[in-house]
Each structure stands twice: as C-alpha cells, then as structure tokens.
Amino acid sequence: MGTEVRKFQLQCEPAGKLSFTRDAATGAVRAKLKITNKSDTRQAFKVKCTRNDLFKIRPSMGLLEYREEAIVEIEYRPKEGEVPDEERQHFGVYHIPAPEGCTAEGAWMEHYGQPQGDTRLRVRFDVPKVAFEGKE
C-alpha cells in the first residue's frame, strides 16, 4: 500500500454501515444512502458492491455540484433460499473531479488511475434470517 492519502470529500449518510430493512408493503429488502458533495468542486460519484447479482443500485453513478446531494436506493435480491452473509458484503463509494459539460459516465470513462477519494460501507440486514431461508 502506498503512502498517498486520498481524502474522501463526499459525505455518506448513513456512514460506515448500510442497514437493509424489509418494506412492509412490498416485501422488498432495501437501504437508502444519501451522498452529499462536501468538496468545493463538481464531483462524479460511483457506488459499487461486492455482488452485482444480489444488489440493484439506482443510480449507481452521478454528478454532484458543491453541496448537492443524491439519494441512492439499493435493493437486495437474493436467490431463493439464500441467507445473506453480512461479513462478506460491502459497498464502495468513489469520487473524482468532474469537468463542466461532462456526464457521470463520461467523467469515469476519461479518468485514469485511482479515484480522488473512496470509502467502504459495511452491510447490516435488519430482517430476520428465517425470512431468507425459503418460502414462508
């Protein structure tokens, strides 16, 4: 690991750990993440997960002006009978400076090297494990 320190210039709420809960109306297991740009420049962000087959992230990337915020909705979609393993799952939030006039996709396509900043969020399922073990 190098000695370069990358300062994370976005604010994530919640910080550190995403809590997934079951929606009483739909039964979907979801979490919300609020990302706020705390830097003094326009930023492109990207949210990645450990397993794309288990999680749907919307939006997975975007642009944030100074002090602007975005709400990212994440849905957990397990295969039937699969019990989630909190210790093996996490989300990464990355950001880079975004030039005026570019899209989020364009900023990331043109970027080379490490992101300007990144953070990792752990996962917590606030759903009884028995709910994942098969049909109820």
Side-chain angles (χ1 to χ4, degrees):
M1 183 191 257
T3 58
E4 177 185 344
V5 175
R6 295 184 310 238
K7 183 178 177 193
F8 190 67
Q9 298 180 44
L10 304 180
Q11 178 181 338
C12 293
E13 292 177 40
K17 195 171 269 199
L18 277 174
S19 293
F20 284 80
T21 57
R22 184 177 300 278
D23 183 300
T26 66
V29 178
R30 295 188 178 123
K32 284 191 180 184
L33 173 65
K34 182 168 86 168
I35 302 172
T36 306
N37 182 0
K38 295 293 188 177
S39 79
D40 58 358
T41 60
R42 186 174 196 236
Q43 297 286 316
F45 72 87
K46 184 186 294 189
V47 180
K48 297 173 100 180
C49 63
T50 48
R51 289 194 48 197
N52 289 329
D53 62 322
L54 293 181
F55 297 98
K56 180 180 179 181
I57 304 168
R58 294 290 179 254
S60 61
M61 67 175 69
L63 295 173
L64 292 171
E65 299 293 339
Y66 174 67
R67 296 270 185 222
E68 188 176 19
E69 63 185 43
I71 301 295
V72 177
E73 295 188 7
I74 304 166
E75 184 174 345
Y76 176 64
R77 302 176 303 173
K79 295 172 176 42
E80 188 173 326
E82 185 172 1
V83 178
D85 184 355
E86 295 175 344
E87 298 302 316
R88 303 189 84 185
Q89 308 304 325
H90 68 270
F91 290 84
V93 180
Y94 307 88
H95 69 85
I96 58 174
E100 287 299 320
C102 75
T103 63
E105 294 85 359
W108 285 104
M109 284 177 48
E110 296 296 320
H111 181 76
Y112 294 98
Q114 297 292 321
Q116 182 180 28
D118 61 82
T119 192
R120 182 178 284 194
L121 303 170
R122 303 304 289 163
V123 171
R124 186 173 99 211
F125 291 99
D126 291 332
V127 178
K129 295 263 190 242
V130 69
F132 293 107
E133 292 175 346
K135 295 181 181 177
E136 296 180 74

